[in-house]
Amino acid sequence: MQNFYAEGQFLARFQDCVMIPWRAFLSQLGFTWQRCYPIIFISGKGCRSTYHADSSHVLAYQVYGEKHFHGFLEPGKREPVQKLVADRMGVTRIAIPEIDPSEILTYNMLPGDVLWNQLLTPHWVDAGDDEVAMSINISHGGVAYRGAFCPNEQVLRQYWKKNPESAWLVDERY
């Protein structure tokens, strides 16, 4: 797996200029985490992601073009977090499920916009029709604030205690 951090590569200064200050900021506020790394998403004109729920908290920074993040006014009502934890792949689908438009919450992201997506929040993202779109997403795993996990992470960790073979303790890609 290439991370592009070497001198002269795409992310050569990213650790010094973005990730180290970001981690220091989180630490100063009382946050801890088990993993924290960038992911670059480049989408073609009008491209759409699958319908899914991420297994990490994501800070999405829109760099170029336009993206539309679609979620729900009440995500737990649509996809209970217990269901998402027990069946990780069950929510992922290519086709967007039939949804009453009044239940959808959409954020239109233009360059410079930032969005926080909580762990296990069902959603999909599509790019604008006029140009390619690029975002830098910082993925966070095992985030705690002053030693306490958020409610979704608590459900996940309780499930792991009962089902240790399914724990996502190591992500060997990073």
Side-chain angles (χ1 to χ4, degrees), residues 75-105:
K77 188 175 173 183
R78 179 72 191 183
E79 302 281 356
V81 72
Q82 292 82 0
K83 173 187 166 197
L84 295 171
V85 167
D87 185 12
R88 286 295 307 129
M89 294 310 291
V91 70
T92 302
R93 9 180 136 58
I94 299 296
I96 306 305
E98 297 247 349
I99 302 163
D100 181 338
S102 69
E103 295 178 31
I104 298 173
L105 179 61

Side-chain angles (χ1 to χ4, degrees), residues 17-165:
C17 295
V18 177
M19 296 305 296
I20 292 171
W22 176 245
R23 291 179 188 124
F25 173 73
L26 291 176
S27 294
Q28 290 169 355
L29 294 176
F31 288 96
T32 58
W33 57 90
Q34 293 174 332
R35 65 186 195 288
C36 182
Y37 52 82
I39 302 172
I40 309 297
F41 283 104
I42 300 173
S43 305
K45 297 176 186 178
C47 286
R48 176 178 277 174
S49 76
T50 60
Y51 173 76
H52 65 285
D54 296 328
S55 57
S56 61
H57 302 275
V58 176
L59 179 71
Y61 173 69
Q62 188 63 26
V63 176
Y64 186 85
E66 181 178 353
K67 287 189 181 176
H68 311 283
F69 178 97
H70 308 282
F72 301 99
L73 291 170
E74 298 181 65
K77 188 175 173 183
R78 179 72 191 183
E79 302 281 356
V81 72
Q82 292 82 0
K83 173 187 166 197
L84 295 171
V85 167
D87 185 12
R88 286 295 307 129
M89 294 310 291
V91 70
T92 302
R93 9 180 136 58
I94 299 296
I96 306 305
E98 297 247 349
I99 302 163
D100 181 338
S102 69
E103 295 178 31
I104 298 173
L105 179 61
T106 297
Y107 294 98
N108 295 317
M109 297 184 65
L110 299 172
D113 288 344
V114 177
L115 177 96
W116 179 262
N117 180 32
Q118 180 180 227
L119 165 87
L120 298 172
T121 299
H123 66 282
W124 68 100
V125 181
D126 51 39
D129 293 328
D130 297 332
E131 60 188 345
V132 298
M134 177 181 160
S135 63
I136 297 176
N137 295 3
I138 301 177
S139 176
H140 306 75
V143 175
Y145 176 67
R146 298 188 178 171
F149 293 112
C150 76
N152 284 5
E153 187 105 28
Q154 289 173 21
V155 171
L156 176 64
R157 300 209 170 239
Q158 288 298 325
Y159 183 81
W160 284 350
K161 283 182 184 176
K162 294 176 185 170
N163 303 278
E165 72 286 353

Side-chain angles (χ1 to χ4, degrees), residues 5-23:
Y5 290 142
E7 192 61 39
Q9 293 187 337
F10 180 55
L11 297 175
R13 304 240 346 159
F14 198 78
Q15 284 295 325
D16 291 338
C17 295
V18 177
M19 296 305 296
I20 292 171
W22 176 245
R23 291 179 188 124

